[in-house]
Each structure stands twice: as C-alpha cells, then as structure tokens.
Amino acid sequence: MATSYKKIRIAFIKFGGLAVGGSEMWLQKMAANLPRDLFDVDYFYSDIAPLFGTDYKHTDTDIHRLKYMEDHKVNLIKFHITAVDYRFHYHPWIGTDFWQIFNPKKYDIIQTIKAGPKEYPFYLINLPIVEIVALANRPDKSNNIAWSFHSSPWQRNVWLKKGGSEKRSSVLPAPLDRQLTTENYRGELVIPQNAIVAGFHQRADNNIWSPIPLNAFSQLQKSQKNFDWHFFIKGGGDKYREQAKELGLKNAHFLPADGDNIGTSKFLNTLDIFAHGRGDGETFGAVFVEAMIHSKPCLSHHSQTGLDAQKETMGNAGLFAVDEDDYTKKLNALFFDKNLRETLAKEAVKNSSTYSIENTVKNAMSVYEEVLRDPTRFKIKINKLTKTRDFIYSYAIFIIKYVKHYF
C-alpha cells in the first residue's frame, strides 16, 4: 500500500454498534479483521436508546458480539445517547457525550453504516467518511462522503438511479465466516436424523415478520400428514411463535436469537432447506450466503416493498416464489425431491466461494488507500455553531413534546 510507512488511523462509529444485525455485524467483522500492522482501529459504539418518531426497535448490545470484538482485540470506545430523534431527517442524537469522547484529530478516515441520506453525526465530522449504504435509499450528498459501499449490484443500481456517484461507490458484500462447526441441534430438539428440516434465522424484530413460510408449512402439514417434516426458526420476532400456535403447527421449533457465530453455524447444519421469509425484503441477504456456505438449497419470496436482492444473491442455488401459493409449491418440491435439493446445494457451494472475510477486507483496504491519496477532496467547512445549534434545536423539541404530553 502507498501508505504502508504509516498506519491508517480509522474510527468505526455506530449507534447500537454491538447489536446482532447484518449492518452491525458487517462493521464488527471489518474492524476485527483489518490487519493491525497497517491499521490502528477504534470502534465507537453505544447501547440502544429511545427512538422518537418511529415504532422501530433497535436490538441492544449483545454479549456474544462484545466477546467477539474483545477476542479480536478491537479497541472498543463506548459513548452514551439519551435518545435518537427520527422526526428529523438526519436523526440527531439527544443528550450524547460523543463529542467529548471522540477526537477527530486522532483519525484519518471514518467507517460507518447508515440508511443512505445525511445522518448525524457524520455530516459534522471534518474527515473522509466511508459509508456502507444499508438501504436502497437516496444518496448523501455531503462533501465528506468519500465512498459508498453497497452490499449488492441490485442495490447500487437503485441508488445510482436516485443520484448516487458511480465513481465513488462500489459493491462490497458483507464479510462472512466459513462453516465454524459440524454440530447441529437435532439431538437437543429431538429431531430424527432422517427427518427433513426447513427453516431460517433472523433477528428478533416483528417489523420484518413474514407470514408466508409458516403458512406454507401449515398447508403442507395438512396435505402431507405422513411425512416427517420439520420447520425450525432461530430468532425472529414473537409473531412467528404466535402464528405457529394459531396454526396448530406440529414439528415447529424455535430458538432465541443471539450473536453467537458458532450457534448460527450449528443451526444451519440442522437444516436440509434454507426456507426464508422477510416482510420488508432484502438489499443483499447475507443469510443466504451463510446458508450457501453450509451447502443449503435456498427458497425465498417476493416482498411487497420490491426489495428482492436475495434473488440475485442466491442465484441458481435457490428458488424464488412470487407469492404464498408459489412458495408453498416450491417448498413442497424441496421437501419431496432429494435430487432437487442436492442440485441446488452443489450450486450453493460454487456461489459461496466468492464470499469471504479476506476478500471483503482486501477490497475495502484498496478503497481506503484510494480515498487517502488526497483526503483534502473530502474536507468540509463546519460552522462552529452547527453542533450547538443542532443540539439546542433537537433538545428544545424534545422538551416541548415532553411538556405537552405530561402537562
């Protein structure tokens, strides 16, 4: 690298940065695997806080993710946030000590992940920002946005059509681990070794619940009573458990979500079919890559949001359903047809070979080098009153809302 004579000083910054989630784990794995002879890495994170103006619930700091970072000797720096105000498009942090803890003079570059548009506090940092764009959203036109990573070509193309920069963006899939164990959960869940098991894993969030997988499995149970078929969900919101109870499902198994990579590998070893469902769709679908790494045939369905990048990600290793009836037919075919499962599994192994932590880190490092060839291109002028103004404005709104609510 052109900068090999001097370590690159990089700060990762994320609200709820040690949670279990695709976005957070992307950052965690990148920070953990950057070579320490070339990078000095600090990872700034907070626990969750109330979110004003939205029903979205962010998952909190996970002990497994904390241990992962500690095991990889990442320098963790925790900051505090009282609340995040989603009523403003840039989501200001209320009551934060971030500015007392973070010193921009100590760093060359900032790495984060965000929804897409301008977001607090990044537009207030006079350093090059490398962002991972988490959604197919409108671009951030701030001068300090040096590069925008996208998890899939599908998402990048949508973002480009909304005005994103082709010259300062690229595709960088989430870094994923190889198979970490050969164990499975069949013994613990009393699932016979010759039974056929479908299922998926997902963060514990009712906002992304899809009724389709369990509805389809219920239909198959009614029509195919003599087969030993099972459905297994690791994580997922409570709605899946409520749905299984309402449907009277037999052979439905649930385990809580956690950030244990070995547990995820163990879960995938339990499956014969990765039968996925998500109400809001996917902009990449790292869970499919994990499944393919474990040689699993895949199944997913169309989302009403139009976010269907998983079709591209699983490619010819999976089947894509247009609706619930189609999903039921395809799930039935996967349960019945061993040759179909084996054919898709072979393609899964081929597809997964391009995804690795090593490739992701290598590609990201080349972007950091490119950005830092001339970091002055991404300098911004920040009015000294900007931070104070934003804080007073957002906090005043908070106080007004509080007074109106209680008095």
Side-chain angles (χ1 to χ4, degrees), residues 68-83:
Y68 172 85
M69 299 294 270
E70 291 175 342
D71 288 347
H72 285 79
K73 303 188 186 311
V74 178
N75 185 34
L76 299 173
I77 303 174
K78 187 175 183 179
F79 59 93
H80 176 75
I81 299 175
T82 302

Side-chain angles (χ1 to χ4, degrees), residues 319-355:
L319 305 179
F320 185 79
V322 296
D323 56 25
E324 186 173 303
D325 288 341
D326 192 30
Y327 189 100
T328 304
K329 292 176 184 177
K330 287 180 166 61
L331 181 60
N332 186 60
L334 285 166
F335 271 121
F336 261 120
D337 194 338
K338 183 179 180 181
N339 289 332
L340 175 61
R341 295 197 302 271
E342 290 178 347
T343 298
L344 296 178
K346 289 178 182 177
E347 295 299 323
V349 173
K350 294 177 185 177
N351 290 355
S352 68
S353 62
T354 59
Y355 299 98

Side-chain angles (χ1 to χ4, degrees), residues 53 72 89 129 171 190 252-253 268 285 332 337 351 383:
H72 285 79
H89 67 87
I129 307 290
V171 174
V190 196
H253 311 273
L268 290 167
N332 186 60
D337 194 338
N351 290 355
N383 187 312

Side-chain angles (χ1 to χ4, degrees), residues 57-307:
K57 304 294 183 183
H58 198 291
T59 53
D60 207 350
T61 299
D62 179 84
I63 58 172
H64 298 286
R65 304 318 304 163
L66 177 62
K67 186 176 186 303
Y68 172 85
M69 299 294 270
E70 291 175 342
D71 288 347
H72 285 79
K73 303 188 186 311
V74 178
N75 185 34
L76 299 173
I77 303 174
K78 187 175 183 179
F79 59 93
H80 176 75
I81 299 175
T82 302
V84 180
D85 200 339
Y86 271 58
R87 293 168 296 186
F88 298 94
H89 67 87
Y90 57 96
H91 302 170
W93 298 347
I94 298 172
T96 181
D97 60 0
F98 175 77
W99 299 111
Q100 286 71 50
I101 295 172
F102 172 74
N103 180 4
K105 294 180 180 179
K106 292 178 61 177
Y107 303 101
D108 302 303
I109 197 166
I110 304 297
Q111 174 70 68
T112 192
I113 187 164
K114 56 192 188 66
K118 184 175 80 169
E119 191 171 308
Y120 190 95
F122 304 104
Y123 69 93
L124 298 174
I125 299 175
N126 193 15
L127 286 169
I129 307 290
V130 175
E131 63 172 357
I132 306 162
V133 181
L135 299 173
N137 217 326
R138 67 183 185 275
D140 184 346
K141 296 297 184 69
S142 302
N143 290 338
N144 61 344
I145 298 296
W147 201 271
S148 301
F149 286 131
H150 295 268
S151 56
S152 67
W154 177 91
Q155 179 183 288
R156 182 171 180 253
N157 289 336
V158 173
W159 180 81
L160 289 174
K161 290 177 182 177
K162 295 181 179 181
S165 171
E166 185 171 9
K167 293 182 179 179
R168 284 163 44 184
S169 65
S170 60
V171 174
L172 190 72
L176 295 165
D177 296 300
R178 299 286 104 187
Q179 185 173 357
L180 298 176
T181 181
T182 58
E183 296 181 353
N184 64 60
Y185 284 108
R186 292 198 179 214
E188 297 173 41
L189 298 175
V190 196
I191 301 174
Q193 291 302 316
N194 61 348
I196 302 175
V197 182
F200 63 97
H201 66 104
Q202 194 172 80
R203 72 173 184 264
D205 183 355
N206 282 330
N207 292 304
I208 61 177
W209 169 73
S210 168
I212 290 178
L214 292 186
N215 280 345
F217 185 63
S218 176
Q219 290 301 314
L220 297 186
Q221 276 200 342
K222 293 175 182 177
S223 62
Q224 310 291 348
K225 296 180 180 179
N226 297 324
F227 293 94
D228 196 4
W229 294 347
H230 296 248
F231 207 97
F232 182 15
I233 298 177
K234 187 173 188 291
D238 291 336
K239 284 188 176 182
Y240 289 112
R241 291 150 184 83
E242 295 167 3
Q243 182 186 11
K245 186 176 180 180
E246 290 174 2
L247 292 170
L249 287 181
K250 298 178 181 178
N251 296 344
H253 311 273
F254 297 92
L255 284 179
D258 59 42
D260 182 8
N261 291 335
I262 294 177
T264 298
S265 187
K266 186 176 177 181
F267 162 78
L268 290 167
N269 291 335
T270 309
L271 303 182
D272 298 287
I273 306 160
F274 186 77
H276 168 267
R278 178 164 172 165
D280 64 344
E282 299 278 2
T283 56
F284 169 56
V287 292
F288 292 92
V289 179
E290 290 175 324
M292 290 189 293
I293 287 171
H294 288 74
S295 306
K296 304 303 172 184
C298 298
L299 170 64
S300 186
H301 63 76
H302 169 66
S303 168
Q304 295 302 317
T305 64
L307 302 180

